[in-house]
Amino acid sequence: MKIKKTYSYALWSATYLTLLTIAISTIAYFFIVKHLEITSIIISIIVLFIISFFIIQYRTEHFIYRRLKKIYEDVSILDVNDLRKESVTTDIDKLSKRMQKYVEGKRLEIKSLTERDSFRRDFLGNVAHELKTPLFTVQGYILTLLEGAMDDKNIRLKYLERANKGVERLVAVTKDLDMIAKLETDGLKLNMEVFNILEIIQNVFDLFEMKAKKRNIILKFDRIYDFPVFVIGDIEKTEQVLINLVVNSIKYGKPNGTTIVAADNYNDNKYVIRVIDNGEGIKQQYLSRLFERFYRVDQSRSREQGGSGLGLSIVKHIVEAHNQTVLLKSTFGEGSEFSFTMEKAK
């Protein structure tokens, strides 16, 4: 029968002590107390072995525990309350694995906290930058008007229109910041119901028809649908996803191009809604970061197009709140395809 490795240290130590005791007892038997029976000696040996085993095991575990406690007290990232005395063992390999697992957990925790702190600094920096630019723009136009430019009607109207654009940008950034803050703190409350996704897509087309015409971009379905496509989800939030994706396709699509939206089977339980443009596309090295807050492939061009830089991040949050998936395919110079899955209505 294989002996449990945890007790091997105490077992072998007790064996060595017992063998030594046997030798001493044998000598004592032959030279001093020949009148003792052999049975008494065997019983004494067994008792001594058992007592030695438990004494050595206890002492060793107590020794290791005190040393580990000292390490926990000395190392600031380790909490001594996390060290349970019953978890201490004389099996060094097992003990080492436990310590390694614990330290690895702490290392990952520290890494996560470091990444969060780094994200917090970047986030605050991005928010400050996004708000500062339109604020300074609006302030500049207003100061110019106050310094006398308002007396000229043409300049007054022009500067007020530009200031209004800056305010609209501030409103857009503020609204998106408020939405993403709610998504990440309170979570997203969804009103799940069955609806025809084709109607929502058409509503979004009607909403942004004029915006698309300014760039001569055609908004259309990939084909004529003979039947409704019923899905399960939050209508308002799903419409927000489509708005963000269609607006992006208009902003970054090719002038005189097209934005095509399709609703196809993804598997037996899901549809996939695809928003396809024939714009400039995105290089592969940027794809993995595209859904990060405020991330822009081309900072200067993106700001010219407006927006808060939070649109795709909001899309990701809403889709994942539905327990669905966001997908992205893009070929630089040819166009992009943003898509997301939706549950089929049974």
Side-chain angles (χ1 to χ4, degrees), residues 19 50 58 77 86 161-162 184 222 231 270 283 314:
L19 289 175
I50 294 171
Y58 171 78
I77 66 169
E86 59 270 19
E161 286 175 357
R162 291 179 179 177
E184 294 185 347
D222 64 319
V231 299
K270 297 180 181 182
K283 293 180 179 179
I314 291 171

Side-chain angles (χ1 to χ4, degrees), residues 134 137-138 159-171:
T137 300
V138 172
Y159 279 22
L160 285 174
E161 286 175 357
R162 291 179 179 177
N164 184 58
K165 286 183 179 179
V167 172
E168 287 177 352
R169 177 165 170 72
L170 280 171
V171 171

Side-chain angles (χ1 to χ4, degrees), residues 237-272:
K237 301 299 188 299
T238 302
E239 186 175 44
Q240 183 65 56
V241 169
L242 285 165
I243 286 173
N244 289 5
L245 295 181
V246 169
V247 167
N248 267 12
S249 73
I250 295 171
K251 286 180 184 177
Y252 306 115
K254 187 183 300 182
N256 304 311
T258 58
T259 289
I260 299 172
V261 181
D264 298 317
N265 282 315
Y266 186 71
N267 57 34
D268 292 340
N269 301 312
K270 297 180 181 182
Y271 289 110
V272 60

Side-chain angles (χ1 to χ4, degrees), residues 6 15 21 29 48 75 87 110 115 135 137-138 170 174 192 197 200 208 215 230 243 262 273 278 288 299 301:
T6 305
T15 300
T21 304
Y29 176 75
L48 179 62
V75 180
S87 67
I110 292 171
E115 288 175 351
L135 273 174
T137 300
V138 172
L170 280 171
T174 304
M192 304 295 283
I197 189 66
I200 305 303
F208 294 100
R215 305 196 72 220
F230 289 109
I243 286 173
I273 314 303
N278 59 349
S288 62
Q299 298 284 344
R301 185 174 181 273

Side-chain angles (χ1 to χ4, degrees), residues 201-209 219-221 246 259 261:
I201 295 170
Q202 186 60 56
N203 290 343
V204 174
F205 283 172
D206 294 341
L207 189 61
F208 294 100
E209 181 180 6
L219 305 177
K220 66 177 185 178
F221 287 97
V246 169
T259 289
V261 181

Side-chain angles (χ1 to χ4, degrees), residues 8 42 73 107 124 153 180 182 186 216 251 265 278 292 296-297 305 309 312 342:
S8 60
I42 292 173
E73 290 172 348
R107 187 187 67 80
L124 290 174
K153 183 178 179 181
I180 205 162
K182 290 178 180 177
D186 302 333
N216 292 321
K251 286 180 184 177
N265 282 315
N278 59 349
E292 293 180 11
R296 291 181 171 94
V297 174
Q305 297 289 349
L312 290 179
M342 293 209 71

Side-chain angles (χ1 to χ4, degrees), residues 72-90:
Y72 271 67
E73 290 172 348
D74 291 342
V75 180
S76 59
I77 66 169
L78 300 177
D79 186 357
V80 71
N81 295 320
D82 292 336
L83 179 63
R84 299 190 305 274
K85 194 167 184 177
E86 59 270 19
S87 67
V88 176
T89 173
T90 53

